[in-house]
C-alpha cells in the first residue's frame, strides 16, 4: 500500500457511528479498513484525529480562482476536495465571444474581471478540459441558465421564441453531454430572471433526460420566499427533474422564525416522492454584488445599459424609488435597509475606502456603482440565526459556502464554512452530532451528484480524505480577518495525494474535473 493511516476515528460519511480503524490507500483508492498490521510505503499517525471523506462544497464561486490560484488554500485548508461551480445561472461556458465578454463584466464582483486568465475555452467540455490540466481541488460544473439565455437571445426581458428555446435546450444538452452535472439558475439576476416558469421547465426536462439536477437561486429569499420555493418544487415536479435548492434560507424581517414553514413545504414534497436536496452556509449575512439589488428592468440589456441608466438622473430616481419604497425584485421584494449593507470589495482602488463601511443611502450606492463600473460586492446583514440552525438540521441538507473569494473584505464563509460547521455548530453548540455533520458535508452531497466512488470512507472509493481534530477544529476567518485559515485540519488528501500536510499546503495539484455520464440515452433536441 502507498499509505496506511493508523488509529484514526473513522467518520465514514454515512451518518452512522464512528469507529477506530487503520485505513490503507493504494493508487488513489481506499483498499483496506480495519486493523492493518502490515505497513505501507508511508505511515501516518491518525490517533486523536477524525478521518472523514473529503468535504464537498455544493455552492462555490471558484470558477476562475481555481485557474489563477494553484494554491487555493481558501478551500483546500478547509478539507474541501470537490467544489461545484457554474452557480447562480452565470458562468463562463457555454459562450461565444460576445456572451463571454458580457458575463465577465456582469460577474466581475464575484470572480474579478478575468484579465489574468486565458479564456481559451468556449464550450463546457473545453472548460472542463482546462480544469483537467491540474487544479488544487476537484470541480464539477453546472450549466448556467442565465449565460445560456444571454447566448441564445441576449439580455432582453422578453419571452424566448420557439427557435431560441430550441437553441437553449441544445446548449443545455451539449453541456450535460460534455460532463456538466446539472443546470443552475439565478432568478434574481439578469438575464436568468427573465425566464418564465414554462421556459425553465423545458430546460429542466433536458436536465432530467441526462439524470442531472436543477439548482436554482430562486426568485426571492425575502418577501414571497415561500411562494418562490413552492414555484421551484412545482417546476421540478412538472419536469420530473431532481431539485437542489441553492443557499436555502429565509432572510429579512418578514421571515424571522419561519424556517419551519419552509421545512414543512419540503417535507410534504419529499413525502410525495420528489427528489429534493438543499445547501446552506452557517452564517447569517448574505453576500452578493451591489448591482444585483437593482430592479430587473434597470438591469435589462447588460452592463453598459445599466451604467447608462445610472448616469441619467431621472432613471436613477426611478431606481431609488423601487429600491427604497416599493421593494425591487433584485432585493427580493423588500425595501432596502441601507445600514444592513456593508461594502466588502471594490475593483478600483480609488474606492477602497468604502470597504468595511455600511451604506448611508442611494447617493453613495449610485456613486459606487458608476465609479467602480458595477463591480462592488456587499455583505447583506439580513439573516436569522434560528433559521440557519433549523435548516442545517434537515436530513436533505448539505453544506455549501457560496464563497466569493474576491474583494478586500470577503464574507468569512469563503474561508471558514466547513470548519465552522464542525467547530461551532457541532462541538460548541451541539446542533448536529459529528457523524451527522460529516454526512451533510460529504456523503449526502456525493449522493446528490451521483458519484459512485466518492463521499464515503469505504473500500474501493477514491481516497479523497480529510483528517481533523474534533477538539480543536475551528474557522480562523472572521468578519474582521476573513482570509485567516482554519485550525485543527492538518491533512487533506485527493486521490491519495497530500494537498495539505501538517497544516501546510503542498505543491500538489491533484484536482481534476468531475464529470457526469448520462444515465440513459438523451432525448432529441431541436436547434
Amino acid at each position: 500500500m502507498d499509505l496506511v493511516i493508523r488509529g484514526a476515528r473513522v467518520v465514514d460519511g454515512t451518518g452512522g457511528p464512528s469507529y477506530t480503524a487503520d485505513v490503507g490507500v493504494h493508487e488513489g483508492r481506499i483498499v483496506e479498513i480495519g486493523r492493518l498490521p502490515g505497513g505501507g510505503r508511508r505511515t501516518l499517525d491518525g490517533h486523536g484525529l477524525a478521518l472523514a471523506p473529503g468535504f464537498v462544497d455544493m455552492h462555490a464561486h471558484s470558477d476562475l480562482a481555481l485557474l489563477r490560484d494553484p494554491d487555493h488554500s481558501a478551500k483546500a485548508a478547509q478539507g474541501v476536495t470537490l467544489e461545484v461551480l457554474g452557480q447562480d445561472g452565470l458562468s463562463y461556458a457555454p459562450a461565444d465571444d460576445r456572451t463571454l465578454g458580457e458575463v465577465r463584466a456582469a460577474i466581475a464582483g464575484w470572480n474579478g474581471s478575468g484579465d489574468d486568465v486565458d479564456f481559451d475555452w468556449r464550450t463546457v467540455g473545453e472548460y472542463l478540459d482546462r480544469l483537467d490540466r491540474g487544479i488544487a481541488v476537484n470541480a464539477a460544473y453546472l450549466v448556467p441558465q442565465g449565460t445560456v439565455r444571454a447566448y441564445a437571445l441576449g439580455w432582453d426581458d422578453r419571452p424566448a421564441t420557439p427557435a431560441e428555446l430550441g437553441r437553449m435546450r441544445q446548449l443545455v444538452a451539449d453541456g450535460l453531454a460534455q460532463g456538466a452535472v446539472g443546470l443552475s439558475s439565478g432568478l434574481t439576476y439578469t438575464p436568468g430572471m427573465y425566464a418564465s416558469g414554462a421556459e425553465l421547465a423545458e430546460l429542466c426536462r433536458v436536465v432530467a433526460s441526462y439524470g442531472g439536477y436543477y439548482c436554482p437561486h430562486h426568485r426571492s429569499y425575502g418577501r414571497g420566499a415561500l411562494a418562490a420555493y413552492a414555484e421551484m418544487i412545482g417546476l421540478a415536479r412538472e419536469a420530473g427533474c431532481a431539485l437542489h435548492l441553492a443557499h436555502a434560507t429565509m432572510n429579512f424581517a418578514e421571515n424571522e422564525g419561519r424556517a419551519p414553514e419552509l421545512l414543512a413545504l419540503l417535507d410534504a414534497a419529499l413525502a410525495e416522492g420528489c427528489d429534493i436536496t438543499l445547501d446552506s452556509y452557517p452564517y447569517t449575512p448574505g453576500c452578493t454584488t451591489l448591482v444585483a439589488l437593482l430592479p430587473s428592468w434597470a438591469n435589462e440589456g447588460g452592463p453598459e445599459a445599466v451604467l447608462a441608466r445610472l448616469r441619467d438622473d431621472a432613471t436613477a430616481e426611478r431606481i431609488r424609488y423601487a429600491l427604497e419604497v416599493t421593494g425591487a425584485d433584485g432585493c427580493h421584494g423588500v425595501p432596502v435597509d441601507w445600514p444592513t449593507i456593508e461594502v466588502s470589495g471594490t475593483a478600483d482602488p480609488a474606492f477602497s475606502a468604502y470597504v468595511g463601511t455600511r451604506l448611508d443611502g442611494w447617493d453613495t450606492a449610485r456613486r459606487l456603482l458608476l465609479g467602480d463600473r458595477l463591480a462592488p460586492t456587499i455583505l447583506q446583514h439580513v439573516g436569522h440565526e434560528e433559521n440557519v440552525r433549523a435548516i442545517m438540521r434537515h436530513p436533505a441538507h448539505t453544506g455549501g459556502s457560496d464563497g466569493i473569494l474576491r474583494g478586500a473584505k470577503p464574507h468569512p464563509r469563503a474561508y471558514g464554512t466547513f470548519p465552522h460547521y464542525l467547530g461551532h455548530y457541532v462541538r460548541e453548540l451541539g446542533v448536529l452530532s459529528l457523524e451527522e455533520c460529516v454526512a451533510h458535508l460529504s456523503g449526502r452531497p456525493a449522493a446528490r451528484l451521483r458519484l459512485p466512488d466518492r463521499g464515503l470512507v469505504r473500500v474501493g472509493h477514491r481516497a479523497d480524505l480529510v483528517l481533523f481534530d474534533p477538539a480543536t477544529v475551528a474557522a480562523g476567518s472572521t468578519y474582521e480577518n476573513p482570509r485567516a485559515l482554519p485550525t485543527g485540519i492538518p491533512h487533506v488528501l485527493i486521490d491519495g495525494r497530500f494537498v495539505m500536510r501538517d497544516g501546510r499546503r503542498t505543491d500538489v495539484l491533484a484536482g481534476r474535473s468531475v464529470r457526469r455520464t448520462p444515465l440513459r440515452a438523451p432525448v432529441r433536441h431541436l436547434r
Side-chain angles (χ1 to χ4, degrees):
M1 286 180 285
D2 296 326
L3 173 68
V4 173
I5 302 169
R6 297 281 189 202
R9 176 185 174 184
V10 177
V11 189
D12 67 5
T14 66
S18 57
Y19 57 91
T20 300
D22 304 333
V23 174
V25 174
H26 187 63
E27 295 183 349
R29 292 189 180 268
I30 300 168
V31 293
E32 290 191 57
I33 303 173
R35 186 173 179 274
L36 308 179
R41 293 185 180 90
R42 291 176 296 172
T43 300
L44 180 67
D45 184 2
H47 290 87
L49 298 177
L51 171 64
F55 303 139
V56 179
D57 189 341
M58 285 295 288
H59 193 104
H61 289 284
S62 303
D63 306 48
L64 299 184
L66 280 166
L67 300 178
R68 66 161 61 95
D69 178 18
D71 181 80
H72 201 50
S73 290
K75 296 299 178 67
Q78 293 187 59
V80 171
T81 58
L82 171 60
E83 299 185 90
V84 184
L85 313 176
Q87 298 288 349
D88 295 327
L90 289 167
S91 190
Y92 306 96
D96 56 9
D97 291 348
R98 171 191 60 81
T99 307
L100 182 60
E102 292 167 344
V103 169
R104 286 176 61 181
I107 56 175
W110 295 356
N111 299 317
S113 66
D115 291 341
D116 53 349
V117 173
D118 179 10
F119 288 87
D120 59 351
W121 69 85
R122 291 298 180 269
T123 69
V124 169
E126 289 168 350
Y127 175 69
L128 297 177
D129 289 344
R130 177 69 179 276
L131 298 179
D132 282 339
R133 298 179 195 173
I135 48 178
V137 304
N138 295 313
Y141 189 75
L142 295 163
V143 178
Q145 171 257 331
T147 300
V148 165
R149 198 173 207 271
Y151 193 168
L153 63 100
W155 296 70
D156 296 336
D157 182 2
R158 63 172 177 81
T161 67
E164 289 165 343
L165 181 57
R167 178 62 172 149
M168 285 190 281
R169 285 163 52 94
Q170 190 63 54
L171 288 167
V172 172
D174 290 346
L176 289 161
Q178 292 162 14
V181 295
L183 175 75
S184 77
S185 283
L187 299 179
T188 64
Y189 301 127
T190 56
M193 62 161 39
Y194 300 141
S196 66
E199 179 180 312
L200 295 170
E202 284 297 307
L203 301 184
C204 284
R205 289 188 181 96
V206 178
V207 176
S209 75
Y210 283 85
Y213 69 92
Y214 179 47
C215 180
H217 164 129
H218 52 275
R219 298 190 193 274
S220 176
Y221 292 81
R223 184 180 294 167
L226 288 175
Y229 280 112
E231 180 196 7
M232 296 298 99
I233 292 170
L235 187 157
R237 184 187 291 116
E238 176 188 352
C241 186
L243 177 66
H244 181 84
L245 297 165
H247 38 59
T249 188
M250 299 283 286
N251 287 336
F252 301 94
E254 290 89 334
N255 293 315
E256 185 173 2
R258 297 186 68 190
E261 296 176 57
L262 166 61
L263 300 180
L265 180 68
L266 297 179
D267 287 338
L270 289 164
E272 294 173 6
C274 295
D275 183 359
I276 302 175
T277 50
L278 62 150
D279 65 65
S280 74
Y281 47 83
Y283 299 88
T284 54
C287 180
T288 188
T289 56
L290 181 57
V291 69
L293 304 186
L294 271 54
S296 56
W297 61 261
N299 274 296
E300 186 178 2
E304 292 304 321
V306 179
L307 289 166
R309 292 187 183 100
L310 288 168
R311 292 187 194 101
D312 181 75
D313 289 341
T315 308
E317 173 56 22
R318 287 182 59 209
I319 295 172
R320 182 205 65 79
Y321 189 86
L323 282 169
E324 296 183 350
V325 180
T326 61
D329 48 5
C331 195
H332 308 276
V334 178
V336 68
D337 180 8
W338 293 113
T340 67
I341 296 175
E342 177 184 359
V343 180
S344 60
T346 60
D348 187 338
F351 297 93
S352 60
Y354 288 96
V355 173
T357 67
R358 303 290 183 108
L359 292 181
D360 57 7
W362 168 241
D363 289 343
T364 301
R366 181 189 179 193
R367 183 163 60 251
L368 267 174
L369 288 167
L370 284 169
D372 204 30
R373 293 188 58 81
L374 312 182
T377 52
I378 58 169
L379 302 185
Q380 203 166 7
H381 296 267
V382 292
H384 306 284
E385 178 67 19
E386 68 272 29
N387 287 347
V388 170
R389 296 188 194 188
I391 290 167
M392 74 171 63
R393 292 189 185 102
H394 195 273
H397 172 267
T398 65
S401 72
D402 195 13
I404 294 174
L405 300 168
R406 303 292 287 183
K409 194 173 182 288
H411 196 304
R413 69 193 185 192
Y415 285 72
T417 286
F418 295 86
H420 196 50
Y421 269 119
L422 296 166
H424 185 60
Y425 287 96
V426 171
R427 183 180 64 248
E428 295 175 1
L429 299 180
V431 174
L432 294 168
S433 71
L434 182 63
E435 291 83 356
E436 289 173 321
C437 187
V438 167
H440 286 230
L441 305 183
S442 58
R444 291 180 187 172
R448 161 49 71 219
L449 295 166
R450 294 179 179 162
L451 303 176
D453 60 353
R454 298 178 194 267
L456 301 175
V457 180
R458 181 171 290 175
V459 170
H461 277 229
R462 290 181 179 271
D464 294 352
L465 303 169
V466 54
L467 288 102
F468 63 92
D469 183 350
T472 63
V473 62
S477 61
T478 63
Y479 293 102
E480 294 72 31
N481 187 17
R483 286 195 170 87
L485 297 180
T487 57
I489 306 179
H491 309 297
V492 181
L493 298 91
I494 294 178
D495 274 354
R497 302 169 67 191
F498 284 94
V499 296
M500 297 290 299
R501 185 156 194 176
D502 297 321
R504 295 181 179 275
R505 178 73 173 93
T506 70
D507 61 0
V508 169
L509 295 176
R512 299 293 186 271
S513 70
V514 174
R515 307 189 190 212
R516 184 85 170 271
T517 302
L519 295 183
R520 54 184 181 271
V523 297
R524 186 183 300 275
H525 305 291
L526 299 176
R527 288 191 180 272

